[in-house]
Amino acid sequence: MLLAQEDQITKWVDDGLTVVKIGILLHRRGIEVPHRTLARFAVERCGAGRRKTTVRVDDPPPGIECQVDFGRLGLVADGEHRRVFWGLIFTACYSRHQFVWPTFRQTTEEVINGFEAAWWFFGGIFPVVIPDNMSSIVTEAENTAPRFNDTFLEYAQARGFVIDAARVATPTDKPRVERVVPYVRNNFFAGESFVDLTDCRERAETWCTQTAGMRIHGTTQCRPAEEFRLEELGKLLALPGTAFDIPRWSEPKVHRDFHVEVDKALYSIPHQFIGRRVKARRDSNTVKFYFRGELIKVHPRKAPGQRSTDPADYPTGKEIYATRDVDALKRLAAQHGEAIGRYGEALLDTPLPWTKIRQVY
């Protein structure tokens, strides 16, 4: 019976189906065979159980590479609900020294906070970071030319390290950190209870230093923390002197009033960009606008509900309406003659002069 199904079983094996699943599919076809018999047949004749050979990649020089990945740790109480708890795990490729940043979120801002904490834990910055294709870092995964998140790319440039993202669905590109995920989950997280997120982060750092850092690593046969201090610490990039002001990017559209909305505040844009989409970068102090990679406008950051308007952004003559500049309108009237100037000034001599702007104009 199985010989007649050999080609189909081989195809199922090539597609990654397990022997158990193959047995279920054969049963639907009316073929009943013991599991052991099917397993032997699938192994001996159809290639089941054969694993691809693996070429071991040598360790990089000390102080160069750090691999980063998110690992699911489990469920933790957060108020009245239980939420998934993640660990952003950093592993030094040479020494295997590691750092864990527990978090509930995987946003770009949270990832940057984790990186900042990692650099202070290690005492320096690794020149090369090899992350997984997490959406907070990689917006468009690709094996040779991935597209990075604008905010994280700016952070990497500010801190001086290079991003070398792992290929799509290729965990072997970051094996040093990949193998650490279950170790963190089982040795640090399992069976523990934490007061809050701050307590968890403090205990994670202690665990990285005293437990994970001082164990005899199965591959290197060294204590990771000691090996790191001896071979890697002195080769890292210097720590930053100031905190990183995390920017946020968006792509607002320039409306008919020559303004765009960013975080519920309004900012003027030169009138020639009306109807176009621009890239907005805002941090705690400024908002910068770009069009096709070129900086076109800079405004001070405003609170929600406020606006920042530069009269120079309006077409010639329109700025008087927008800014209610009564004095400018008086000067404009005077340029057309003394009598017109006096008449315009008389029209504007009211408690609400801006209601006469259109009439004078």
Side-chain angles (χ1 to χ4, degrees):
M1 287 189 297
L2 291 178
L3 288 174
Q5 300 293 325
E6 183 174 352
D7 292 342
Q8 181 60 63
I9 295 174
T10 302
K11 183 179 183 303
W12 283 333
V13 169
D14 293 340
D15 290 341
L17 274 65
T18 64
V19 174
V20 173
K21 181 63 176 181
I22 292 173
I24 294 173
L25 296 177
L26 289 175
H27 174 71
R28 293 176 185 172
R29 296 185 173 201
I31 302 173
E32 296 284 352
V33 292
H35 175 75
R36 291 180 179 272
T37 302
L38 176 59
R40 286 196 300 269
F41 182 85
V43 169
E44 295 174 3
R45 301 185 64 92
C46 303
R50 297 176 187 171
R51 303 182 65 181
K52 296 180 180 179
T53 58
T54 300
V55 178
R56 182 179 178 83
V57 179
D58 196 12
D59 290 334
I64 299 296
E65 293 183 5
C66 178
Q67 295 180 2
V68 184
D69 196 7
F70 264 114
R72 188 182 190 276
L73 301 183
L75 295 174
V76 171
D78 182 31
E80 298 179 355
H81 304 282
R82 289 169 61 82
R83 295 176 58 188
V84 176
F85 209 48
W86 299 89
L88 184 61
I89 304 172
F90 300 76
T91 301
C93 293
Y94 182 83
S95 65
R96 309 304 203 271
H97 195 28
Q98 64 190 58
F99 174 72
V100 180
W101 176 255
T103 180
F104 286 115
R105 302 178 298 162
Q106 296 190 35
T107 62
T108 300
E109 183 176 355
E110 189 66 12
V111 167
I112 290 176
N113 290 334
F115 269 80
E116 291 286 89
W119 301 145
W120 285 101
F121 173 81
F122 288 123
I125 299 172
F126 283 88
V128 179
V129 171
I130 305 174
D132 188 19
N133 282 287
M134 55 187 76
S135 60
S136 49
I137 295 178
V138 181
T139 57
E140 187 175 337
E142 209 274 334
N143 286 343
T144 58
R147 180 181 176 185
F148 299 114
N149 176 287
D150 288 330
T151 300
F152 192 85
L153 182 60
E154 184 176 340
Y155 170 70
Q157 293 170 343
R159 292 298 183 246
F161 64 84
V162 176
I163 312 169
D164 183 17
R167 291 171 294 173
V168 180
T170 311
T172 52
D173 282 356
K174 47 179 179 56
R176 307 292 184 269
V177 70
E178 194 77 22
R179 299 186 64 179
V180 168
V181 173
Y183 173 62
V184 173
R185 182 167 51 242
N186 297 328
N187 194 288
F188 164 66
F189 185 80
E192 301 288 344
S193 59
F194 305 98
V195 177
D196 52 22
L197 186 58
T198 301
D199 174 55
C200 184
R201 287 175 177 171
E202 292 175 352
R203 290 167 61 180
E205 183 171 341
T206 301
W207 177 84
C208 290
T209 303
Q210 299 179 1
T211 302
M214 298 307 294
R215 76 191 192 282
I216 301 298
H217 194 277
T219 301
T220 65
Q221 291 300 300
C222 298
R223 300 184 189 276
E226 295 178 352
E227 187 75 356
F228 172 79
R229 285 193 293 268
L230 289 173
E231 300 292 341
E232 297 200 277
L233 180 57
K235 298 178 173 63
L236 300 183
L237 303 176
L239 288 171
T242 58
F244 181 71
D245 188 358
I246 301 177
R248 293 184 179 180
W249 291 79
S250 60
E251 294 188 20
K253 185 176 181 179
V254 183
H255 296 291
R256 293 170 59 189
D257 61 355
F258 316 109
H259 284 72
V260 297
E261 181 179 333
V262 177
D263 287 343
K264 298 183 179 181
L266 297 177
Y267 302 90
S268 65
I269 300 294
H271 63 88
Q272 62 266 32
F273 296 102
I274 189 170
R276 302 291 189 93
R277 285 200 174 273
V278 296
K279 295 194 73 172
R281 177 203 180 275
R282 69 271 199 199
D283 54 31
S284 59
N285 298 312
T286 61
V287 182
K288 298 179 180 180
F289 297 93
Y290 299 83
F291 183 73
R292 295 178 179 174
E294 181 181 354
L295 179 65
I296 60 172
K297 199 67 186 179
V298 179
H299 284 279
R301 182 77 181 269
K302 294 294 183 180
Q306 297 182 350
R307 71 167 59 200
S308 176
T309 300
D310 182 357
D313 292 333
Y314 291 100
T316 304
K318 299 291 186 181
E319 67 277 4
I320 294 175
Y321 291 119
T323 59
R324 294 181 174 181
D325 192 343
V326 175
D327 292 333
L329 190 57
K330 291 178 181 179
R331 291 192 298 269
L332 181 62
Q335 293 175 10
H336 291 271
E338 182 181 355
I340 295 176
R342 289 200 306 270
Y343 182 58
E345 188 167 349
L347 285 174
L348 293 170
D349 187 18
T350 68
L352 301 174
W354 50 86
T355 62
K356 300 293 185 177
I357 284 180
R358 186 172 298 276
Q359 184 178 354
V360 174
Y361 192 77

